[in-house]
Amino acid sequence: MSEEHENFLAEPEEARVEDTRPFSHTEMVTCETCLRANPPTRPNCLYCGVRLPQSASNSSRRPVIRQPENWEEGYNVVLIERGSAPLELLSEVAGLLRLERAEAARILEASEPLPLARVDSPEEARLLEERLRAMGLSILVISDSDLMMKEESRRRVRGFDFEEEGIVAYAAGSQEVWRAAWSDFVLLILGRLVTRRVEVEERRKRGGSEVIEAREMTGDVLLFDLYTEERAGGWRVASDQFDFSCLGSSKALIASQNFASLVETLRERAPRLIVDDSYNRLRQALAPVWPPEERTESRGLRRERPGRFNTEAVMTSDNETQFTRYSRLRYALRLRESATGQTS
């Protein structure tokens, strides 16, 4: 099945129902690939699945909100500020974005830039931007590529050496070494990685199955991303995978205390560094658009005794991708502010 046909099948039901309304011949939109006429409310061709050209006749259609997978390229529609838009528009914004009213309220009432939608094409992102700007909202569209979401741009650090002029950073899992002057650092994004792992063992029985054992494990790790003004993926430090020997005599026995001391040392020595701790209080507002990642793994059958088999499955969830998106968004806005003199 082609990607275009998969996009069609992924469209919300209401978007397809709108196609049954009668339209005049002049309102129809011609597909540039198969040359067939389509209703003006459609984003993709009804016959071959190719995205239809944007025109005056289909510019009034409702945007299609299809959340791409994390590995797919996405286009993020970000609320920079509410501006003059009254909260009375809350229901209209929620309906346009397919959000619950409470979810839209958390985003609109926050004092920080937050994503309103993540869609699978620049055309849908621009259409959403037009609709939201018409409501008085200040909007920025930024792609996953601009957020540098590729794994290779995420540089994890296992240790620092502090020098008079700057920092020497040692890469986790390799022999790479990076250096930066104290004056190069401009932004530090604080966060925490919350993980949950549930292991379930079920016994097969006639008419269904029963859970015979369930184990749940959770984790909570402090982390931060440290950025320079050069466009790069930044350095990531996690409290459970970092050697705090760079703190010298200030090093304590507890990782959380060492983590706080490290952040304070960076704040004191880097004259331009801004420490941003907004992520932890905004996690709930981020979840509708950038949800935590969930995975389920089947471990197959396990023989308990002759003739009796159990099935095992592991369900895991974590917010690392969510934190990365937020961190990169804050960094992108910082670069934009530096380049244009605008404030986010």
Side-chain angles (χ1 to χ4, degrees):
M1 183 182 293
S2 69
E3 180 181 353
E4 290 82 2
H5 281 89
E6 288 177 352
N7 288 342
F8 163 67
L9 294 175
E11 291 177 21
E13 186 63 30
E14 65 265 28
R16 295 198 289 267
V17 170
E18 287 181 354
D19 294 348
T20 61
R21 295 182 298 162
F23 298 98
S24 68
H25 175 73
T26 57
E27 291 179 300
M28 301 295 276
V29 178
T30 300
C31 174
E32 295 178 345
T33 300
C34 68
L35 302 181
R36 294 188 179 184
N38 286 264
T41 52
R42 292 196 55 79
N44 292 15
C45 178
L46 180 64
Y47 305 98
C48 69
V50 170
R51 187 166 294 277
L52 294 171
Q54 187 74 12
S55 66
S57 58
N58 66 2
S59 60
S60 61
R61 68 171 177 82
R62 188 178 185 184
V64 175
I65 310 291
R66 189 187 82 83
Q67 175 76 274
E69 299 293 334
N70 280 333
W71 52 266
E72 295 181 287
E73 177 75 353
Y75 299 85
N76 304 278
V77 180
V78 179
L79 173 67
I80 301 301
E81 59 181 359
R82 199 175 78 222
S84 60
L87 282 178
E88 286 74 13
L89 284 173
L90 189 58
S91 296
E92 188 176 350
V93 171
L96 177 69
L97 300 171
R98 276 73 158 183
L99 295 175
E100 297 293 334
R101 199 174 189 278
E103 294 172 340
R106 276 192 291 269
I107 296 172
L108 291 180
E109 292 172 358
S111 58
E112 305 289 350
L114 289 173
L116 287 167
R118 179 172 176 259
V119 294
D120 63 345
S121 74
E123 293 82 9
E124 297 304 318
R126 284 195 293 269
L127 187 55
L128 278 171
E129 180 183 17
E130 291 173 5
R131 299 286 194 277
L132 293 166
R133 284 187 182 277
M135 298 178 190
L137 302 177
S138 178
I139 300 296
L140 174 68
V141 174
I142 185 166
S143 69
D144 286 348
S145 294
D146 289 333
L147 294 181
M148 299 174 289
M149 288 302 298
K150 297 296 184 181
E151 182 68 28
E152 57 265 23
S153 66
R154 195 177 307 165
R155 300 191 289 178
R156 301 177 187 273
V157 177
R158 59 179 169 84
F160 285 149
D161 274 342
F162 293 156
E163 299 180 340
E164 184 177 351
E165 297 299 323
I167 293 179
V168 179
Y170 300 94
S174 77
Q175 298 301 312
E176 283 191 87
V177 177
W178 307 304
R179 287 178 168 82
W182 290 113
S183 59
D184 292 339
F185 297 110
V186 294
L187 187 63
L188 186 151
I189 308 294
L190 284 168
R192 59 194 323 133
L193 174 60
V194 180
T195 59
R196 181 171 178 263
R197 177 184 175 94
V198 179
E199 299 178 354
V200 178
E201 186 174 347
E202 295 183 332
R203 176 177 298 152
R204 289 185 171 185
K205 55 188 294 187
R206 185 173 300 175
S209 61
E210 63 174 337
V211 176
I212 59 173
E213 187 174 3
R215 300 173 293 275
E216 181 174 344
M217 292 157 281
T218 59
D220 193 339
V221 174
L222 299 170
L223 74 165
F224 66 71
D225 284 346
L226 181 62
Y227 296 101
T228 66
E229 203 151 40
E230 293 184 9
R231 184 173 172 80
W235 296 347
R236 174 157 298 180
V237 171
S239 60
D240 65 336
Q241 300 174 359
F242 189 81
D243 180 359
F244 291 98
S245 297
C246 59
L247 296 175
S249 60
S250 300
K251 182 181 177 182
L253 296 177
I254 301 175
S256 60
Q257 293 179 357
N258 290 328
F259 186 86
S261 296
L262 179 61
V263 172
E264 190 58 33
T265 299
L266 295 171
R267 192 199 305 261
E268 291 173 354
R269 296 198 183 189
R272 302 170 60 207
L273 185 67
I274 297 173
V275 176
D276 184 328
D277 62 354
S278 61
Y279 170 75
N280 290 328
R281 65 180 171 83
L282 293 173
R283 278 171 49 196
Q284 190 176 13
L286 290 167
V289 180
W290 292 343
E293 191 170 8
E294 298 181 350
R295 298 168 296 279
T296 300
E297 174 190 357
S298 175
R299 291 185 174 176
L301 296 175
R302 186 178 68 83
R303 185 178 180 181
E304 183 181 14
R305 64 172 188 261
R308 175 166 287 182
F309 294 88
N310 297 339
T311 60
E312 293 185 348
V314 178
M315 292 160 283
T316 59
S317 66
D318 67 69
N319 64 319
E320 185 168 15
T321 300
Q322 180 193 72
F323 172 73
T324 300
R325 291 188 189 281
Y326 184 75
S327 175
R328 301 291 168 80
L329 172 63
R330 299 296 293 181
Y331 180 49
L333 293 176
R334 175 68 176 82
L335 294 179
R336 176 173 175 261
E337 178 182 343
S338 298
T340 65
Q342 298 177 357
T343 58
S344 53

